[in-house]
Amino acid sequence: MAMSFPSSLSEPVLLLDEARVRHNLKRMAERAAAAGVRLRPHFKTHQSHTVGRWFRELGVEAITVSSLSMAEYFVADGWRDITLAFPFHPGMRDRVDALAPRTAFGIVLADPQALDGVRFSTRVDAWLKIDVGSRRTGFDPEDLDVLRDLAAALAGRDDIRLRGLLAHAGHSYDARGGQAIAAVHAETLGLLGRLRDDLADISGPLELSVGDTPTCSTVGAFPGVDEIRPGNYVFYDLSQWQIGACAVEDIAVAMACPVVARHPARGELVVHGGAVHFSKDAMDFDGQRIFGLAVEAAPDGWGALRPEIRLVRLSQEHGIVAAPDEVIARTRPGETLLFLPVHSCLTADAMGRYLTLTGEPVEMTG
């Protein structure tokens, strides 16, 4: 399948390799089935009706979203089991109340006062967000009294069903290699399992929902877990490759950036591709802060990594590329360089659309 995007681009384009995406989706679906857990993928990475339908072809029926706008977008495409994995607050009440009659809807609670003054017209599921180590938000698993009081309060309501405990082990992104990732996974499951037992006399049986791409991509067993919610695996990225969650060949999006200027004296090229395209997420690579690494263009998309060609600085529209002298000498303005992103979720969100390798545009929410 040959690429058909224009050889001369007027602006950056985010390319999507459908074959790689479908391979990633199939592999995770098989992993979930083998582990006996429900797959509720997080759609914040791709945010696309088209890509969402590829999940549906594999039997996925339940999804995760990160915003009410995203929930509304996917409800419009027929999704009928959605968890909003962002902490609920009272300002969300009216929009949640409008969604709940149209889909089995789940909210996430991270503060005991989040439901003060709130009642729903249609029953919603509630998940208690547990901080298992990432220190972003969620209840401290040691705050058992707070959790027991909240569970008791929810048990007395007919507009909310306490569904279970939910966690995102975001600190797995700091792990390097399978053993380190597995340690985060084991600690997460241990904390959630003990907490579920501690709440059982108040809440009855609770489900456990976990989800981060590093653990879901590398660990084969999820004892005691009911569902997993990975999201980034649909595309993967350089961060996941550095962690050890994927191979370079699994990364399914690449940014095509036109070259706009050459600066041989300082060993740099300038491309049209800045922070408004890639985001400002960076990573350390060989002791250098980078925002992307180049890949070889190929007739069927892209091929080998070119780690010597690095996106090293970003302003709003400009990308500064460090490259060997011979690369700069043979490169001309208007030519296209391809870069794998550090964080595909934010890159996709920044771009707002994709172009498949066959030239078909794929729109996103918003």
Side-chain angles (χ1 to χ4, degrees):
M1 182 184 299
M3 289 197 296
S4 60
F5 71 92
S7 58
S8 181
L9 297 174
S10 62
E11 60 186 7
V13 171
L14 183 59
L15 300 176
L16 183 153
D17 187 324
E18 180 177 343
R20 295 190 194 204
V21 171
R22 288 184 178 274
H23 175 74
N24 293 339
L25 300 189
K26 183 173 184 289
R27 183 171 53 192
M28 188 64 74
E30 291 173 346
R31 179 179 290 270
V37 295
R38 178 191 315 119
L39 177 59
R40 184 187 291 276
H42 207 317
F43 276 19
K44 72 180 178 72
T45 301
H46 63 85
Q47 300 186 47
S48 164
H49 283 172
T50 298
V51 179
R53 291 166 192 164
W54 300 344
F55 284 83
R56 195 178 273 150
E57 291 173 17
L58 293 171
V60 172
E61 297 179 345
I63 65 172
T64 308
V65 297
S66 60
S67 70
L68 288 168
S69 296
M70 204 179 299
E72 292 157 351
Y73 174 80
F74 284 110
V75 165
D77 201 44
W79 292 93
R80 294 294 178 259
D81 190 344
I82 298 177
T83 296
L84 172 61
F86 187 83
F88 177 85
H89 61 82
M92 295 178 171
R93 186 266 172 197
D94 290 350
R95 292 173 74 182
V96 171
D97 217 38
L99 283 164
R102 304 173 61 193
T103 182
F105 199 77
I107 62 172
V108 168
L109 303 177
D111 189 291
Q113 297 182 351
L115 291 170
D116 284 1
V118 173
R119 288 200 69 83
F120 298 107
S121 301
T122 302
R123 190 178 75 169
V124 300
D125 287 335
W127 296 84
L128 304 185
K129 176 67 178 288
I130 308 301
D131 182 358
V132 293
S134 63
R135 299 297 182 262
R136 182 170 64 182
T137 189
F139 294 100
D140 187 326
E142 300 302 319
D143 287 343
L144 186 57
D145 290 341
V146 172
L147 288 162
R148 287 178 65 85
D149 288 346
L150 180 55
L154 295 177
R157 298 181 58 151
D158 59 6
D159 62 331
I160 297 176
R161 174 179 65 156
L162 178 54
R163 180 80 176 268
L165 307 177
L166 177 145
H168 177 262
H171 51 311
S172 66
Y173 281 68
D174 296 325
R176 294 293 180 268
Q179 187 173 356
I181 296 171
V184 172
H185 178 67
E187 181 183 22
T188 296
L189 267 55
L191 284 171
L192 292 178
R194 289 191 295 273
L195 194 54
R196 176 171 56 184
D197 292 343
D198 288 337
L199 297 174
D201 62 316
I202 296 174
S203 62
L206 292 175
E207 295 186 30
L208 298 185
S209 175
V210 300
D212 59 279
T213 287
T215 59
C216 292
S217 296
T218 59
V219 178
F222 299 84
V225 169
D226 297 277
E227 68 176 26
I228 58 173
R229 308 181 326 279
N232 180 274
Y233 78 95
V234 60
F235 297 151
Y236 287 115
D237 51 34
L238 289 176
S239 291
Q240 297 292 340
W241 167 66
Q242 188 178 58
I243 291 166
C246 72
V248 169
E249 295 75 22
D250 296 321
I251 301 174
V253 288
M255 188 79 84
C257 298
V259 175
V260 302
R262 299 168 299 150
H263 297 280
R266 68 185 201 215
E268 293 176 341
L269 300 166
V270 180
V271 296
H272 189 184
V276 297
H277 309 103
F278 284 92
S279 88
K280 280 263 187 176
D281 265 24
M283 74 181 206
D284 181 81
F285 181 73
D286 286 346
Q288 186 175 31
R289 188 169 183 256
I290 66 160
F291 299 88
L293 292 175
V295 284
E296 291 280 5
D300 59 348
W302 56 87
L305 193 67
R306 294 292 306 275
E308 74 278 15
I309 305 175
R310 307 173 181 187
L311 192 59
V312 294
R313 297 195 308 280
L314 298 178
S315 59
Q316 183 163 326
E317 299 281 347
H318 300 69
I320 310 303
V321 179
D325 292 344
E326 63 271 18
V327 172
I328 296 172
R330 66 171 182 262
T331 302
R332 296 292 178 268
E335 292 183 10
T336 299
L337 294 180
L338 299 179
F339 293 93
L340 300 182
V342 168
H343 188 176
S344 62
C345 303
L346 290 181
T347 300
D349 188 70
M351 290 299 291
R353 63 179 298 186
Y354 317 98
L355 193 68
T356 68
L357 299 184
T358 58
E360 178 185 358
V362 176
E363 299 297 333
M364 296 168 58
T365 180

